[in-house]
């Protein structure tokens, strides 16, 4: 699970939303200091989580300070935050020092939760001194005023003394640069006057061109005095990091026993009830001591403090987490599951579930509720049947009859479940998750449980009927007949015959029911639009809340408008007007690329007939240092070059053609350079690997006939195929070292799209390419994918199978994928919609949500009708390539 998504699931029952919109029954409360009137001669502004105050010059403009330097952060707890803000305000305003602070308690809490970003955790106030002399003065004077105040440690900074003040060198003004991954990030000037990324790793670092001021040297020395050298434990590796601390594997040097050390940081890693990591670690210690000797939990070995961090030491339990078994054992991870393997898996899953039930019963018998049961917290022993339960920081006495305060989203109990009922709900979810690990859908609609049970009964015919019936009954037991399930997302109705117990949603639009499903998805998308908002038009992935994200092709308005146009929907005038308004001008810091930024917006606006704005956006891109972009398709030169070349063909502008050629030359040159020797694996796939540049070079070859471009495209495809492996069963997937990926965005299916296009020009080409194409088609026909979306799910498989020219891709495979997309179908306002990435909320965007599913289905189900244009930008099916895209007379180059 990507824990970032949990924060964005708090404010809205249907869609990912920024946490500052978390209002409950009324406006979100603010600190009293945030309600103060703006002082005379100052201006204030809300930017994201911050309320910024800036002094004004005599002409009424904000005072221009330095663009970078040493900044001061103050941390705070919920109890003292308003006092800290008041003291900083009263200190900075008369001295005309710019500052900002987090204005509300809910925003401060979210910054310090367990899975909040470690690079931003603890930062409550930021003060911008003008130079090092003032920095020293502010640290001394403000530090004295805040003496005795507590707050979480700020990992990116150097602490000043024992108080809540910290310092780091970084950007004051919002300037941007393309980093080594091709992303646009905040920047600072280095010693040679070159913009470089403002790095914010969760450890204090001084840029190499900056000298640490002498008055900070004693504080750096003090920071380095705390070590683990005197402990009787040898820490051997980090298992996990969160905002609350780390989890480490090690050895007790006194007896050689393997141990786990779990760290708690004070005031950080907050749970929903406000408990910090140390409080939760204390709860875990007490719970484990209460269930000691049961044989189903690790035994407590030690408890100590190092610095101001607390450590719990436990015996290491042998085994692997339950989730680790899915990739190697789940029988649906292939096109044609062997019935014997399905039956064997069914027996194993039911047996393991019974072992988990017995373990939970033992815990309950000692008066403890686990409160956080899920597949990552269940360890399966080497005997393949016994289990241990780990991570008891949410555990509580049964007698408290409390609600769940922290949980995996796929096992999160509804608010009415208390005490032991919390664990019973999680056990019911586990019954289904062992067969279809998509129970995160229940946070949107628990009525989905009956539908998943139907699918399981069909795919795993040996699952005992009562096993599924009991799960559905427990998950849906408090949903009244005809009432909406969680989130009000759909009515309940009698189930189908496959499962006897209640609560399958009455709403059921099958994706293959075309064009009814198309019309329903379009209605759902339009019903979700919010043209009155400035930050986004359609709800989608959390990435849309980053700089410019609400505009782009992957997750923003441009992508949805593109899908609506490509699938024959009527024009959405309000949406086009919104996109035009938000690009006049585009927000500062908006990325430049095809899928992440302005190039993609320009492409869509051109398709919609807004050529003037499209050319304006491209002109702005070309005024930037666009040549420094990465080579990839997502945000780099490949995507930008495709847009430039397309606009050149449409407008006849020679400069655009020249810039496209320049981009191609840069990409070709880079392909000829040695691959950088880094510890990090090179990314592969359509969006961020070498297949995107290969696509660009193929299109340039079709335009110019330059043979070198076709040859370079082949080199790029070889590079991505070198990052692929052939799995058992013949599926070819991208190897990331710890997992393999078949997906369209970052997996092998995206590579397969470009291999198909390459085969048009080299029909009797390299045997490796043909073998890989076949293996990738196998990867696209698996029975199970964890998500529905276009870039990272089943819709991408549908798009690939619909466009491939391969003779060994029977229609039945495509029809099976279309039908199975319905496993993820969810209702929104009575229409068909799909969940986004991580499946905790619905999404309407192209990359992760309903618009991407709409595009893929149109490509498959209406290839010659209104969906004739249903393809990704610059990737029409090879057999529908526009005639004017054929290569010119080849030339040697």
């Amino acid at each position: 699970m990507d824990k970032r998504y949990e924060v964005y699931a708090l404010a809205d029952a249907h869609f990912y939303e920024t946490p500052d919109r978390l209002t409950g029954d009324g406006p979100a409360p603010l600190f009293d200091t945030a309600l103060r009137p703006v002082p005379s001669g100052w201006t204030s502004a809300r930017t994201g989580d911050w309320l910024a105050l800036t002094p004004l010059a005599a002409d009424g403009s904000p005072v221009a300070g330095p663009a970078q330097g040493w900044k001061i952060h103050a941390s705070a707890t919920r109890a003292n935050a308003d006092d800290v803000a008041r003291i900083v305000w009263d200190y900075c305003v008369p001295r005309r020092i710019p500052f900002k602070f987090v204005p509300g308690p809910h925003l401060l809490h979210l910054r310090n939760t367990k899975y909040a970003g470690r690079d931003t955790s603890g930062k409550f106030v930021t003060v911008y001194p003008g130079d090092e002399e003032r920095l020293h003065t502010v640290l001394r004077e403000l530090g004295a005023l805040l003496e005795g105040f507590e707050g979480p440690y700020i990992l990116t900074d150097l602490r000043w003394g024992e108080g809540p003040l910290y310092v780091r060198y970084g950007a004051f003004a919002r300037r941007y640069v393309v980093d080594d991954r091709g992303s646009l990030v905040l920047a600072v000037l280095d010693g040679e006057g070159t913009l470089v990324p403002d790095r914010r790793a969760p450890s204090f670092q001084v840029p190499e061109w900056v000298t640490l001021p002498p008055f900070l040297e004693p504080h750096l020395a003090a920071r380095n005095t705390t070590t683990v050298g005197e402990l009787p434990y040898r820490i051997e590796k980090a298992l996990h990091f969160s905002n609350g601390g780390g989890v480490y594997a090690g050895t007790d040097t006194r007896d050689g026993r393997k141990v786990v050390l779990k760290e708690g940081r004070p005031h950080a890693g907050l749970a929903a009830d406000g408990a910090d990591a140390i409080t939760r670690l204390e709860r875990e210690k007490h719970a484990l001591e209460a269930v000691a000797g049961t044989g189903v939990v690790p035994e407590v070995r030690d408890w100590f403090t190092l610095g101001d961090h607390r450590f719990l030491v436990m015996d290491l339990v042998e085994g692997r987490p339950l989730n680790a078994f899915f990739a190697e054992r789940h029988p649906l991870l292939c096109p044609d599951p062997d019935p014997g393997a399905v039956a064997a898996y069914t027996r194993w899953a039911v047996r393991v579930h019974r072992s988990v039930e017995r373990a939970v019963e033992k815990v309950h018998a000692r008066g403890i509720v686990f409160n956080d049961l899920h597949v990552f917290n269940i360890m399966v022993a080497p005997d393949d049947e016994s289990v241990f339960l780990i991570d008891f920081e949410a555990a509580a006495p049964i007698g408290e009859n409390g609600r769940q305060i922290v949980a995996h989203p796929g096992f999160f109990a509804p608010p009415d479940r208390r005490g032991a009922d919390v664990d019973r709900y999680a056990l019911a979810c586990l019954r289904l998750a062992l067969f279809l690990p998509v129970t995160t859908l229940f946070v949107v609609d628990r009525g989905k449980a009956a539908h998943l049970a139907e699918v399981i009964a069909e795919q795993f015919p040996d699952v005992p009927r009562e096993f599924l019936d009991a799960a559905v009954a427990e998950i849906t037991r408090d949903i009244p007949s005809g009432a909406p399930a969680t989130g009000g997302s759909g009515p309940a109705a009698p189930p189908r015959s496959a499962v006897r117990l209640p609560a399958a949603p009455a709403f059921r639009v099958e994706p293959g029911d075309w064009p009814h499903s198309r019309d329903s998805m379009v209605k759902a998308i339009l019903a979700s639009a919010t043209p009155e908002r400035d930050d986004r038009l359609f709800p989608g992935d959390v990435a849309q809340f980053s700089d410019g994200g609400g505009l782009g092709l992957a997750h923003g308005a441009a992508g949805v408008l593109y899908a609506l146009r490509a699938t024959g929907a009527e024009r959405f005038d309000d949406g086009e007007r919104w996109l035009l308004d938000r690009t006049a001008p585009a927000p500062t810091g908006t990325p430049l690329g095809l899928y992440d930024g302005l190039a993609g917006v320009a492409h869509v606006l051109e398709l919609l007939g807004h050529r003037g704005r499209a050319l304006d956006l491209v002109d702005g891109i070309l005024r930037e240092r666009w040549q420094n972009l990465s080579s990839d398709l997502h945000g780099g030169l490949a995507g930008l070059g495709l847009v430039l070349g397309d606009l050149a063909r449409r407008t006849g502008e020679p400069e655009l053609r020249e810039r496209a050629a320049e981009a191609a030359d840069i990409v070709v040159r880079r392909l000829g350079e040695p691959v950088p020797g880094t510890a990090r694996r090179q990314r592969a796939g359509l969006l961020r690997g070498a297949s995107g540049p290969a696509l660009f070079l193929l299109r340039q070859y079709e335009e110019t006939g330059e043979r070198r471009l076709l040859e370079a495209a082949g080199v790029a495809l070889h590079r991505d195929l070198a990052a692929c492996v052939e799995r058992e069963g013949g599926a070819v997937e991208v190897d990331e070292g710890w997992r393999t990926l078949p997906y369209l965005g970052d997996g092998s299916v995206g590579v397969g799209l470009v291999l198909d296009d390459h085969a048009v020009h080299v029909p009797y080409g390299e045997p490796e390419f043909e073998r890989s194409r076949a293996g990738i088609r196998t990867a696209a026909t698996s029975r199970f994918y964890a998500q529905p979306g276009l870039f990272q799910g089943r819709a991408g498989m549908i798009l690939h199978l619909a466009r491939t020219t391969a003779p060994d891709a029977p229609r039945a495979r495509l029809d099976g994928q279309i039908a199975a997309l319905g496993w993820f179908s969810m209702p929104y306002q009575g229409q068909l919609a799909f969940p986004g990435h991580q499946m905790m909320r619905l999404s309407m965007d192209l990359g992760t949500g309903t618009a991407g599913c709409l595009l893929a289905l149109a490509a498959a189900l209406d290839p010659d009708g209104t969906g004739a244009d249903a393809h990704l930008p610059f990737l029409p099916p090879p057999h529908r390539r526009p005639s004017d895209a054929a290569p010119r007379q080849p030339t040697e180059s």
Side-chain angles (χ1 to χ4, degrees):
M1 293 296 297
D2 187 333
K3 294 293 185 177
R4 296 175 303 158
Y5 284 75
E6 293 186 22
V7 171
Y8 290 92
L10 296 173
D12 189 277
H14 289 107
F15 302 115
Y16 292 121
E17 186 56 274
T18 53
D20 60 334
R21 291 180 178 265
L22 180 64
T23 59
D25 296 329
L30 298 176
F31 294 121
D32 288 344
T33 306
L35 298 174
R36 286 181 169 186
V38 179
S40 177
W42 285 71
T43 184
S44 70
R46 278 293 298 269
T47 56
D49 290 352
W50 297 98
L51 174 63
L53 285 97
T54 307
L56 297 175
D59 62 0
S61 62
V63 171
Q68 64 191 60
W70 290 96
K71 61 178 74 174
I72 300 171
H73 290 116
S75 66
T77 67
R78 171 65 180 88
N80 67 27
D82 208 359
D83 288 334
V84 171
R86 173 181 50 79
I87 290 169
V88 171
W89 180 301
D90 292 343
Y91 178 84
C92 289
V93 168
R95 294 165 177 81
R96 297 180 60 76
I97 303 172
F99 67 100
K100 64 182 181 182
F101 66 99
V102 177
H106 66 296
L107 295 174
L108 176 61
H109 174 87
L110 293 175
R111 279 183 159 260
N112 294 320
T113 57
K114 181 176 180 180
Y115 289 104
R118 299 172 74 223
D119 59 337
T120 59
S121 175
K123 295 175 182 177
F124 171 59
V125 175
T126 307
V127 179
Y128 299 97
D131 52 41
E132 289 187 8
E133 181 179 355
R134 175 159 278 197
L135 169 73
H136 194 190
T137 300
V138 174
L139 286 170
R140 287 186 287 105
E141 295 178 350
L142 189 55
L145 294 172
L146 294 174
E147 186 175 353
F149 282 81
E150 295 184 322
Y153 196 99
I154 298 176
L155 297 172
T156 59
D157 291 25
L158 176 64
R159 189 176 188 179
W160 176 260
E162 299 298 321
L165 295 186
Y166 298 77
V167 294
R168 71 174 289 266
Y169 189 95
F172 289 12
R174 292 171 67 86
R175 297 184 294 182
Y176 296 87
V177 71
V178 178
D179 68 6
D180 56 4
R181 296 180 70 106
S183 300
L184 203 64
V185 297
L186 284 170
V188 291
L189 288 173
D190 66 11
E192 298 179 352
T194 302
L195 281 175
V196 297
D198 180 10
R199 304 197 182 277
R200 304 181 181 204
S203 60
F204 177 66
Q205 300 174 350
V206 181
E208 60 184 17
W209 68 89
V210 175
T211 301
L212 185 75
F215 55 83
L216 293 179
E217 291 176 358
H219 302 272
L220 180 60
R223 177 183 181 275
N224 294 331
T225 57
T226 300
T227 69
V228 297
E230 297 181 0
L231 294 177
Y233 305 104
R234 182 173 62 252
I235 295 178
E236 290 156 350
K237 67 175 178 178
L239 301 175
H240 173 69
F241 282 110
S242 74
N243 193 27
V247 181
Y248 311 92
T251 300
D252 189 327
T253 57
R254 295 166 296 190
D255 58 13
R257 183 173 297 183
K258 295 296 183 181
V259 296
V260 171
L261 297 90
K262 192 169 184 178
E263 175 189 22
R265 300 202 301 125
H267 311 301
L270 304 181
D273 62 350
D276 69 359
I278 288 180
T279 300
R280 290 187 288 105
L281 202 58
E282 290 171 342
R283 291 174 179 171
E284 180 163 15
K285 174 178 177 290
H286 295 322
L288 289 175
E289 290 172 341
V291 297
T294 58
V296 297
V297 300
E299 299 294 325
V300 173
R301 192 171 184 85
D302 200 356
W303 176 252
F304 64 88
T305 299
L306 182 66
D308 56 358
H309 294 200
R310 197 70 53 85
F311 286 82
L312 173 65
V313 184
M314 300 163 283
D315 286 337
L316 176 71
V317 296
E318 295 294 334
R320 292 187 296 158
L322 180 55
N323 71 291
F325 287 82
F326 290 121
E328 66 185 43
R329 182 171 291 188
H330 199 285
L332 301 190
L333 300 179
C334 64
D336 299 301
D338 175 67
V342 172
Y345 179 86
T346 299
R347 292 191 296 271
W348 174 82
V350 172
R351 190 169 66 247
V352 166
H353 188 273
R354 181 57 190 144
S355 295
V356 177
E357 281 186 319
R358 286 194 294 265
V360 172
E361 289 165 0
K362 290 182 179 182
V363 172
H364 287 182
R366 295 289 184 92
I368 297 295
V369 180
F370 188 15
N371 267 335
D372 195 17
L373 179 71
H374 57 78
V375 292
F376 292 85
N377 283 350
I378 299 167
M379 298 289 289
V380 180
D383 67 7
D384 212 29
E385 182 172 347
S386 304
V387 300
F388 296 93
L389 306 180
I390 62 172
D391 200 355
F392 273 71
E393 63 183 36
I398 284 180
E400 292 182 358
N401 200 36
R403 288 174 53 179
Q404 200 170 24
I405 57 173
V406 61
H408 184 288
F411 299 79
F412 191 62
D416 65 294
R417 309 296 170 94
R418 293 177 175 270
D421 276 355
V422 170
D423 288 348
R424 295 188 185 104
Y425 179 87
L427 283 167
C429 291
L430 182 62
R431 288 174 182 252
L432 303 185
L434 280 163
F435 296 95
L436 283 184
V438 295
T439 54
T440 306
L441 295 171
F442 299 164
V443 301
V444 180
D445 186 354
R446 279 184 288 132
K448 189 69 176 176
H451 182 201
L452 294 186
E454 294 176 17
V455 175
I456 293 169
E458 178 183 356
Q459 300 293 325
F460 297 88
D462 293 329
V463 177
R465 183 63 57 84
E466 60 274 13
F467 186 88
L468 299 176
D469 289 351
V472 175
E474 176 62 34
I475 292 166
T476 64
R477 66 177 165 86
D478 56 347
I479 302 176
S481 177
T486 56
S489 51
R496 295 183 175 184
S497 58
V499 174
R500 293 193 296 268
L501 287 175
F507 171 87
R508 186 73 63 80
V509 176
E510 297 296 341
D513 183 14
W514 196 265
H516 177 50
S517 60
R518 176 199 64 201
D519 297 341
S520 189
M521 283 183 280
V522 169
K523 289 176 183 177
I525 289 169
L526 296 180
S528 75
T530 53
E532 70 280 2
R533 287 180 58 159
D534 290 333
D535 59 336
R536 59 108 161 130
L537 176 59
F538 298 100
D541 191 72
V542 302
Q544 69 180 192
F545 300 118
S546 302
D547 288 323
L551 301 176
L553 196 57
H555 305 300
V560 179
L561 294 175
Y562 175 88
L564 292 174
R565 176 190 179 278
T567 55
E570 292 185 10
R571 296 189 71 144
F572 181 36
D573 292 336
D574 286 348
E576 293 181 34
R577 190 175 304 111
W578 187 94
L579 191 57
L580 289 168
D581 289 345
R582 297 308 177 280
T583 53
T588 301
T590 302
L592 307 180
L594 174 61
Y595 279 101
D596 66 349
L598 297 179
V601 176
H603 178 63
V604 173
L605 288 175
E606 164 66 19
L607 294 177
L608 293 171
H610 305 291
R611 177 167 292 175
R613 178 59 51 78
L615 292 173
D616 287 345
L617 292 176
V618 168
D619 183 59
I621 294 170
L622 296 179
R623 288 197 299 269
E624 302 289 337
R625 297 178 181 177
W626 60 271
Q627 296 92 340
N628 292 339
L629 291 171
S630 65
S631 295
D632 67 40
L633 184 70
H634 183 265
L637 289 177
L640 175 58
L642 285 164
V643 173
L644 292 172
D646 181 70
L647 276 173
R649 284 188 291 273
R650 291 172 180 271
T651 65
E653 290 283 346
E655 183 186 358
L656 296 176
R657 182 174 293 108
E658 291 168 6
R659 298 290 77 75
E662 182 182 356
D665 288 342
I666 295 172
V667 170
V668 171
R669 186 184 72 244
R670 291 177 181 175
L671 285 169
E673 297 170 352
V675 177
T678 62
R680 176 174 58 82
R681 286 173 176 263
Q682 295 297 308
R683 301 187 75 167
L686 179 67
L687 294 185
R688 296 177 178 86
S691 295
L695 172 65
F696 169 44
L697 296 174
L698 283 175
R699 296 293 172 262
Q700 282 293 106
Y701 166 68
E702 292 168 353
E703 177 66 20
T704 67
E706 293 184 66
R707 191 76 185 177
R708 69 185 182 96
L709 300 177
L710 179 61
E711 293 169 352
V715 170
L717 287 168
H718 274 295
R719 183 168 293 182
D720 264 4
L721 290 177
C724 294
V725 294
E726 183 174 328
R727 297 186 51 172
E728 184 178 356
V732 170
E733 300 183 0
V734 169
D735 182 11
E736 289 201 327
W738 61 283
R739 63 177 179 177
T740 61
L741 297 178
Y743 301 120
L744 185 150
D746 295 314
S748 58
V749 162
V751 183
L753 296 176
V754 187
L755 283 172
D756 282 350
D757 280 30
H758 186 270
V760 171
H761 302 294
V762 190
Y764 304 103
E766 302 180 41
E768 179 191 357
F769 283 9
E770 291 308 303
R771 288 194 302 271
S772 297
R773 290 177 71 199
I776 289 168
R777 287 192 295 276
T778 299
T781 55
S782 178
R783 192 70 62 86
F784 175 76
Y785 299 97
Q787 300 190 115
L790 186 62
F791 289 167
Q792 293 177 291
R794 196 181 293 272
M797 312 302 155
I798 293 171
L799 184 66
H800 176 52
L801 294 174
R803 80 183 292 277
T804 185
T805 56
D808 61 341
R811 179 73 196 192
R813 296 293 193 191
L814 176 57
D815 291 342
Q817 294 299 330
I818 292 170
L821 185 63
W823 299 359
F824 303 94
S825 62
M826 304 288 281
Y828 178 69
Q829 295 197 11
Q831 305 298 334
L832 175 61
F834 289 92
H837 192 52
Q838 303 294 311
M839 298 195 301
M840 296 168 61
R841 290 294 184 267
L842 303 178
S843 170
M844 298 299 172
D845 72 25
L846 180 71
T848 71
T850 306
C853 294
L854 171 66
L855 188 76
L857 289 170
L861 297 171
D862 197 11
D864 299 315
T866 56
D869 292 326
H871 53 76
L872 284 173
F874 312 108
L875 268 167
H879 61 279
R880 288 211 305 271
R881 183 78 34 75
S883 59
D884 63 353
R888 298 179 181 179
Q889 183 65 33
T891 60
E892 294 299 329
S893 170

